[in-house]
Amino acid sequence: MKAIIMLMVILVAFPLVMNGQETEYNVETESVSTHVDKILNGPITKEGLKQMPYKLWFNSNYKTYRVNTDVLKDAKRKNIKDLKILAFMGTWCHDSNREIPRLMRIMDDMGIADQLELYALDVDKTSLKGKEKGYDIKNTPTIIFYLNGEEVKRVIEEPEGSFEEELVRILK
């Protein structure tokens, strides 16, 4: 009898616990901007950016960007597994629309796309999950590079030169 009760408790409690741990990605919310109706807000993925209406700018900026593989030769030889990137962007922001697809294209080319954590913010620089709190985000995109767990560089709005050059400097 105790075993049956325990089994019933596990069967009821397990789905509740698992749902509480899931992260919801690519949540679309109403925008306060007069330029767009909907925006992504909170943690997002490449797949979310490939959906309408975001794919209009994401796909074209991702596909047309040519990664400077000559600049990245040295960076690819470095131990890049300790590099993590946290990026805050706005799907409503023209700088984010240009720079985030470029960054993602470079990371895909380098085989480190899984080292990017991407969050979409509203025009007031806040998100549903509040991940931006404590990071002093004033402009989008704000891209924070970590090496061995320590912040080593921030790119705000656009890199000085290119992301390829930034990565080479960071990984020296």
Side-chain angles (χ1 to χ4, degrees), residues 56-68:
L56 297 174
W57 54 263
F58 179 81
N59 287 346
S60 63
N61 287 326
Y62 181 89
K63 290 176 182 176
T64 60
Y65 187 71
R66 298 290 166 241
V67 177
N68 189 336

Side-chain angles (χ1 to χ4, degrees), residues 52 71 80 88 95 130 145 165 168:
M52 281 297 286
V71 171
I80 57 176
F88 296 95
D95 290 329
F145 294 84
E165 294 165 342
V168 168

Side-chain angles (χ1 to χ4, degrees), residues 117-154:
E117 190 175 353
L118 186 59
Y119 285 84
L121 306 177
D122 202 337
V123 294
D124 60 1
K125 314 300 184 298
T126 60
S127 70
L128 296 174
K129 301 288 183 179
K131 176 72 175 188
E132 73 287 347
K133 291 179 179 153
Y135 288 99
D136 194 31
I137 307 301
K138 292 184 175 33
N139 300 88
T140 55
T142 294
I143 303 157
I144 307 169
F145 294 84
Y146 294 90
L147 199 54
N148 298 314
E150 290 189 35
E151 182 178 330
V152 293
K153 175 75 177 174
R154 278 188 185 217

